[in-house]
Amino acid sequence: MTSVAPSSHQAAQKQRQHDNKLTKRIMREAGTAIVDYNMIEDGDKVMVCLSGGKDSYSMLDILLALQKRAPIHFDIIAVNLDQKQPGFPAHVLPDYLTQLGVPFHIENQDTYSIVKRLIPEGKTTCSLCSRLRRGILYRVAAELGATKIALGHHRDDILATFFLNLFYAAKLKSMPPKLVSDDGRHTVIRPLAYIAEKDLIAYSELKQFPIIPCNLCGSQENLKRQEVGRMIAAWEKESPKKVWNTFKALSAIAPSHLMDRNLFDFAGLRPTGVADDNGDKAFDADTFADTTDPADTDFTQANGDHHDRPGHPSTQSADAQAAGTLTTGNPSRARTIRIQSL
């Protein structure tokens, strides 16, 4: 028999189903991360840092969608730092944001010249550029009265930071979904913390955001972060569950099974005579779950085996996970609110 190629209508329908699944997954994961870490509360003014890249465009789009469905009120203002890079299309973001009807502020600061003057050619510019950018954005947040600063770091950024600290700084440290800024004046949030970069790439292509390339830091070759990124990508191809399990481990810490004396009182440790499942099992053989599961998963699915761990996404109700949630007030007395499904 001769096989019949699918019609263009069938292909289009399949693509729509794929796009709808991607959108729902991204919204669910962002909503789950927001409620897990109480990122956005009633009355917040969220400053969305918009660089012109796929991640920050996606973050703005996601927060705007969640804002419409949340029964709590929070404001959004998009902020771009124009660093005066040669050839930067200064009209793109204002035109895009005006078309959306989103309040925005463009901060013009020539950090590009400062970085190029102080950093020798071929050397990494990321550290200085980041410090300059951070200081400016903190100032702008205070001037605008923003209560939260939203950054577009995703799951792979968080993993890469973990491995960079592990390999090159000998620290078990990453970038958390929520933290107070180093000047002690602002709350920094990362709503994309649970979302894989490959999903954001697909979402950006779906939405056709007007991407602005960065010619300062992202174009430099052989950066350690790029090296780690390639390692994560290779793991993703080999065994997606390996990547998800590494990410899950960042929220499943067992201080008594590490070596940090500041986190666990090893010096004062004494037998209690009471059996403890978390006690030492040095004579037991290591057993690990299979790591060859297919890649088509998301953070909430990948974490289904930790239902009883406080603060974990899987402690949210199945209904809340499926739709995405936002919360009002303090988490200890919060009312978790369902966002309608897209």
Side-chain angles (χ1 to χ4, degrees), residues 163-177:
F163 285 118
L164 285 169
N165 278 295
L166 182 67
F167 296 154
Y168 301 109
K171 293 180 180 179
L172 291 177
K173 178 182 176 182
S174 186
M175 55 171 71

Side-chain angles (χ1 to χ4, degrees), residues 5-319:
S7 68
S8 58
H9 174 73
Q10 290 174 321
Q13 185 179 30
K14 185 176 181 180
Q15 185 62 47
R16 282 194 300 270
Q17 291 173 343
H18 175 271
D19 294 342
N20 188 49
K21 183 178 179 182
L22 170 69
T23 300
K24 286 186 175 181
R25 180 167 66 249
I26 281 180
M27 293 297 171
R28 178 174 63 248
E29 289 172 344
T32 303
I34 289 170
V35 76
D36 280 350
Y37 293 91
N38 194 34
M39 292 188 199
I40 299 176
E41 300 168 275
D42 191 40
D44 269 340
K45 184 174 185 179
V46 181
M47 187 177 101
V48 178
C49 297
L50 193 63
S51 66
K54 71 179 189 314
D55 303 328
S56 60
Y57 271 125
S58 297
M59 175 174 63
L60 175 63
D61 192 76
I62 291 165
L63 289 178
L64 288 172
L66 295 180
Q67 183 189 43
K68 292 176 182 177
R69 291 157 174 79
I72 63 171
H73 173 79
F74 64 95
D75 294 318
I76 290 174
I77 182 166
V79 170
N80 170 253
L81 172 57
D82 184 346
Q83 298 177 269
K84 300 305 175 185
Q85 296 183 31
F88 180 79
H91 68 283
V92 171
L93 286 172
D95 289 352
Y96 176 76
L97 294 168
T98 299
Q99 184 179 2
L100 284 180
V102 177
F104 68 90
H105 170 77
I106 306 297
E107 182 70 15
N108 294 285
Q109 296 287 337
D110 189 2
T111 61
Y112 179 87
S113 296
I114 297 174
V115 171
K116 298 300 285 185
R117 184 177 72 251
L118 296 178
I119 303 297
E121 192 67 31
K123 296 294 184 179
T124 302
T125 62
C126 295
S127 179
L128 176 59
C129 182
S130 176
R131 289 199 304 273
L132 293 172
R133 205 167 56 240
R134 184 168 67 243
I136 293 168
L137 290 174
Y138 288 172
R139 172 181 59 77
V140 171
E143 292 173 355
L144 295 175
T147 57
K148 302 287 173 60
I149 299 175
L151 303 179
H153 298 117
H154 47 69
R155 181 206 70 172
D156 297 58
D157 288 326
I158 292 173
L159 275 174
T161 301
F162 169 74
F163 285 118
L164 285 169
N165 278 295
L166 182 67
F167 296 154
Y168 301 109
K171 293 180 180 179
L172 291 177
K173 178 182 176 182
S174 186
M175 55 171 71
K178 179 182 179 182
L179 194 65
V180 172
S181 59
D182 58 352
D183 65 358
R185 298 173 59 199
H186 305 281
T187 300
V188 177
I189 61 174
R190 296 179 171 90
L192 307 184
Y194 291 171
I195 304 176
E197 183 175 25
K198 64 179 182 179
D199 279 351
L200 291 170
I201 292 173
Y203 190 71
S204 180
E205 292 172 351
L206 171 63
K207 293 291 186 174
Q208 296 185 320
F209 297 130
I211 303 298
I212 302 173
C214 175
N215 298 317
L216 184 59
C217 54
S219 59
Q220 289 184 306
E221 296 297 329
N222 301 319
L223 294 178
K224 289 182 173 63
R225 184 170 288 274
Q226 291 181 354
E227 176 187 339
V228 169
R230 288 192 292 269
M231 180 192 76
I232 294 172
W235 283 6
E236 185 85 51
K237 187 176 181 180
E238 172 198 341
S239 174
K241 193 170 182 180
K242 181 187 294 184
V243 178
W244 278 117
N245 280 346
T246 305
F247 185 67
K248 286 166 59 180
L250 298 181
S251 57
I253 309 300
S256 63
H257 287 50
L258 295 174
M259 297 172 61
D260 192 331
R261 291 170 292 168
N262 294 315
L263 292 180
F264 189 80
D265 183 17
F266 291 101
L269 188 62
R270 299 288 186 275
T272 64
V274 178
D276 184 355
D277 195 51
N278 290 319
D280 196 279
K281 299 178 182 179
F283 298 100
D284 291 0
D286 290 333
T287 56
F288 299 105
D290 176 50
T291 60
T292 58
D293 287 3
D296 189 17
T297 185
D298 59 38
F299 186 79
T300 52
Q301 291 173 330
N303 284 276
D305 56 342
H306 289 278
H307 293 287
D308 57 351
R309 182 151 53 79
H312 195 276
S314 57
T315 62
Q316 306 299 325
S317 70
D319 184 56

